[in-house]
């Protein structure tokens, strides 16, 4: 891959809500300076002198140097620690954080700093979007999934007991500080889940990037930081480009990020959240299945499916989900947010690097692909 650079700055162009993603592997020291510049670029942030770092129990011990760096830049912080896991993405947890902000006499110039994975980013981001109708939000993502996906783009929210991500807002951060060094403590299963989203970017938008991933499986799995920094930065660039062209998912463009997710969300719903499949694993199976659906439509040849499946499997990700009921999965797909006029819509590949949102796949095509899972390795 390319010569390692110290840091990459990725701009997210959204008019007055524009911000920068800084991708480095240099530790937390520079966070304060980055935060100060990012905050100063906004009305609410300019007079920000205080903030709340929201993190979870697995990361609480590492919060101090981030707080020290912010203090040195004139931002005094306290830390709120929530339990790790999806169950913290709740209105009850948000309410506890509102209590904390009221105790701290937070006003509209008070910053929320989300230090953690996608759960923390979504929860803290939702609180930042709603407290006093919006306070500045700084994202400090510490999982690969959060670094390449959830910290960028402004989707924040919590779960309803009966529906995931159903209560939320669009609230762009003032900046995203990515330090890939934080990934060195991440469990390998979480790394793989993030890699599923990285593979997704290659398939939907960037064939040369997909080829780079194929050529660098070894250094990626060995967590070579220069390689990881490069793939995180490229993923952020691709997401930033999509978000800046369709911030609120209105034109259909942002929906391309949903490749693998129609089947993936159905797997999560049927297997049970927190059950056998983590989100990234379900998306990996979903991408393999959606390639096969595209094959049945004659959109791609088997070579495309083969490359996608091969790369996912080399990253240690599943590509089929035997044992799940096809009828229940299809029923779950009929509730997908992308659907129109009662038809299931999929984002399907036309080739590596190009996808289309479509309702061309019939239920019979989908069922045929799902039934293949029980007939052996796909
Ligand atoms: P997560 O936030 O639950 O983190 C996974 C686990 O890793 C947790 O136990 C956490 O404590 C631990 N962890 C985090 N950083 C660590 C580190 N550096 N070292 C060791 N352990 C660490 O999971 P996730 O996969 O990051 O995020 C999943 C969430 O993201 C889901 O709720 C999903 O809905 C959401 N999401 C949101 C968007 C969006 O656009 N807003 C996009 C994709 C996913
Ligand atoms: N993760 C999908 C999106 O941000 O739109």
């Amino acid at each position: 891959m390319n010569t390692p650079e110290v840091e990459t700055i990725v701009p997210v162009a959204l008019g007055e809500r524009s911000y920068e993603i800084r991708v480095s592997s240099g530790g937390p020291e520079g966070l304060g300076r980055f935060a100060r510049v990012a905050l100063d670029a906004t009305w609410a942030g300019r007079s920000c002198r205080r903030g709340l770092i929201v993190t979870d129990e697995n990361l609480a011990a590492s919060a101090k140097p981030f707080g020290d760096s912010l203090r040195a830049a004139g931002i005094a912080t306290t830390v709120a620690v929530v339990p790790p896991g999806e169950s913290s993405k709740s209105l009850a947890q948000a309410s506890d954080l509102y209590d904390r902000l009221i105790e701290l006499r937070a006003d509209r110039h008070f910053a929320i700093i989300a230090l953690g994975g996608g759960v923390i980013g979504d929860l803290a981001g939702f609180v930042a979007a709603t407290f006093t109708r919006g306070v500045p939000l700084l994202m400090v993502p510490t999982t690969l999934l959060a670094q390449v996906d959830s910290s960028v783009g402004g989707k924040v929210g919590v779960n309803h007991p009966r529906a995931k991500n159903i209560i939320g807002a669009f609230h762009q951060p003032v900046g995203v500080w990515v330090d890939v060094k934080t990934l060195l403590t991440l469990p390998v299963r979480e790394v793989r889940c993030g890699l599923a989203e990285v593979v997704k970017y290659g398939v939907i938008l960037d064939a040369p990037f997909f080829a780079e991933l194929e050529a660098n499986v070894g250094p990626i799995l060995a967590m070579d930081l220069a390689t990881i920094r490069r793939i995180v930065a490229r993923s952020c660039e691709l997401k930033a480009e999509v978000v800046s062209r369709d911030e609120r998912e209105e034109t259909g463009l942002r929906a391309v990020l949903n490749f693998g997710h129609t089947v993936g969300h159905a797997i999560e719903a049927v297997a049970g959240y927190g059950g056998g499949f983590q989100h990234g694993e379900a998306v990996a199976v979903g991408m393999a299945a959606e390639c096969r659906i595209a094959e049945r439509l004659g959109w791609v040849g088997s070579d495309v499916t083969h490359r996608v499946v091969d790369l996912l499997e080399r990253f240690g990700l599943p590509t089929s989900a035997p044992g799940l009921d096809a009828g229940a999965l299809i029923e779950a797909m009929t509730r997908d947010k992308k659907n129109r006029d009662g038809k299931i819509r999929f984002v399907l590949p036309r080739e590596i690097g190009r996808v289309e949102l479509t309702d061309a796949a019939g239920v019979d095509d989908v069922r045929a692909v799902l039934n293949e899972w029980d007939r052996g390795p796909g």
Side-chain angles (χ1 to χ4, degrees):
M1 268 199 185
N2 296 351
T3 315
E5 66 272 62
V6 175
E7 67 174 36
T8 306
I9 303 285
V10 179
V12 187
L14 287 167
E16 61 181 15
R17 291 181 305 289
S18 296
Y19 55 96
E20 286 183 344
I21 307 162
R22 179 195 189 272
V23 185
S24 81
S25 52
E29 294 75 29
L31 172 65
R33 216 172 334 108
F34 174 81
R36 188 70 268 164
V37 172
L39 286 162
D40 284 350
T42 67
W43 169 83
R46 215 157 291 143
S47 44
C48 171
R49 298 287 173 268
R50 293 190 305 141
L52 181 68
I53 297 177
V54 180
T55 193
D56 75 28
E57 286 158 8
N58 292 333
L59 290 152
S62 56
K64 189 172 179 305
F66 293 95
D68 289 347
S69 178
L70 289 164
R71 187 179 319 105
I75 306 153
T77 56
T78 43
V79 181
V81 181
V82 306
E86 191 67 28
S87 58
S88 280
K89 259 177 64 174
S90 67
L91 281 175
Q93 199 63 65
S95 181
D96 285 354
L97 292 173
Y98 296 139
D99 289 348
R100 192 74 188 272
L101 290 168
I102 287 165
E103 280 161 21
L104 289 164
R105 298 181 185 280
D107 60 16
R108 294 170 72 193
H109 308 279
F110 188 98
I112 303 270
I113 300 104
L115 174 67
V119 163
I120 291 297
D122 283 9
L123 168 70
F126 178 71
V127 169
T130 45
F131 191 79
T132 69
R133 298 194 186 85
V135 295
L137 169 67
L138 185 71
M139 291 289 204
V140 187
T142 63
T143 64
L144 183 57
L145 179 135
Q147 295 185 350
V148 300
D149 187 359
S150 61
S151 66
V152 177
K155 282 188 184 177
V156 295
V158 296
N159 301 325
H160 183 275
R162 297 215 306 267
K164 189 169 145 77
N165 288 337
I166 206 80
I167 305 160
F170 285 98
H171 186 64
Q172 298 294 344
V174 297
V176 182
W177 168 273
V178 177
D179 177 2
V180 295
K181 219 189 229 175
T182 59
L183 302 178
L184 294 177
T185 55
L186 194 63
V188 66
R189 190 171 177 193
E190 301 292 345
V191 173
R192 288 179 180 152
C193 286
L195 287 171
E197 301 287 352
V198 172
V199 170
K200 179 190 78 178
Y201 289 117
V203 181
I204 64 176
L205 292 164
D206 190 342
F209 182 49
F210 188 90
E212 276 185 43
L213 295 173
E214 290 178 309
N216 284 277
V217 170
I220 291 168
L221 289 177
M223 296 302 285
D224 172 69
L225 287 185
T227 309
I228 298 285
R229 197 169 59 221
R230 157 85 198 121
I231 66 162
V232 168
R234 183 64 189 143
S235 300
C236 287
E237 280 170 1
L238 291 165
K239 179 147 188 190
E241 170 71 18
V242 171
V243 167
S244 63
R245 289 166 62 199
D246 184 18
E247 182 183 9
R248 289 177 172 253
E249 208 161 323
E250 288 165 348
T251 67
L253 178 65
R254 188 164 175 165
V256 301
L257 299 173
N258 245 254
F259 170 56
H261 285 61
T262 311
V263 174
H265 283 150
I267 291 171
E268 286 181 277
V270 171
Y273 294 105
F277 289 87
Q278 305 247 43
H279 177 72
E281 293 163 346
V283 169
V285 177
M287 288 192 284
E290 292 175 16
C291 284
R292 292 196 173 98
I293 294 171
E295 254 188 76
R296 288 181 68 86
L297 297 180
W299 283 22
V300 293
S302 58
D303 55 317
V304 165
T305 309
H306 179 77
R307 280 182 75 190
V308 173
V309 166
D310 184 58
L311 184 56
L312 292 170
E313 290 182 350
R314 288 170 73 203
F315 280 142
L317 286 157
T319 53
S320 67
L324 295 182
D325 180 63
L329 289 166
I330 290 169
E331 206 280 318
M333 288 177 218
T334 63
R335 286 182 265 124
D336 192 279
K337 277 184 279 195
K338 292 187 296 301
N339 294 346
R340 291 281 179 283
D341 305 324
K343 284 190 164 166
I344 303 174
R345 296 208 298 179
F346 291 91
V347 173
L348 298 181
R350 284 287 190 181
E351 59 187 326
I352 299 277
R354 188 163 67 90
V355 288
E356 251 176 56
L357 178 61
T358 180
D359 63 9
V363 167
D364 289 347
D365 294 311
V366 181
R367 192 182 298 278
V369 167
L370 302 183
N371 284 338
E372 281 170 24
W373 291 344
D374 290 311
R375 288 201 206 108

